[in-house]
Amino acid sequence: ALTTLREVRRRDVPGQLWRFGAELKRRLNHVAEEVGLAARCEGIDVHPHLHFDIADPTLKSQVTTLYIQEMAKRGCHGYASFYLNAAQGDAELDQTIDAARSAFEIIRDGLASHSIEQRLECDVQKDAFRRLVR
């Protein structure tokens, strides 16, 4: 544990994560604006998350699921929240942004043609904690 803590300090992992997250948010927001998708990457820089500006909760869940699905197809496995780590660098950031651009375009087109549900190849994502509050 002490060796890990020393390495974290030596590499300035907290600073690295704050910088990476800020750049991820900036670039994702730029891509969403460029593509014309009402989405924002928000939250604290070390744990940003995507917010799709969709009022209908069912459609919003479908859009989030479509985002996760399309990102996974492009090698970015995760959710609409980003869990950053010190192994991520410029190449991973570029890959994420490129994948997000494609996913955002698919979502934009699906919203325009009312075909989000037809584009899903998996079950709709469920709130992980929903089972605890029923």
Side-chain angles (χ1 to χ4, degrees), residues 52-106:
F52 296 101
D53 190 18
I54 298 171
D56 179 336
T58 300
L59 180 58
K60 189 172 189 171
S61 290
Q62 291 172 345
V63 165
T64 301
T65 302
L66 184 57
Y67 167 80
I68 294 165
Q69 170 188 296
E70 295 304 318
M71 292 294 283
K73 286 180 177 182
R74 292 156 179 81
C76 297
H77 301 277
Y79 296 98
S81 292
F82 297 91
Y83 297 90
L84 309 181
N85 66 72
Q88 295 167 316
D90 291 339
E92 290 76 20
L93 181 58
D94 291 343
Q95 178 186 7
T96 301
I97 298 306
D98 290 343
R101 179 181 305 283
S102 296
F104 287 175
E105 289 169 347
I106 290 167

Side-chain angles (χ1 to χ4, degrees), residues 104-115:
F104 287 175
E105 289 169 347
I106 290 167
I107 292 167
R108 177 203 61 207
D109 295 347
L111 288 169
S113 64
H114 306 286
S115 63

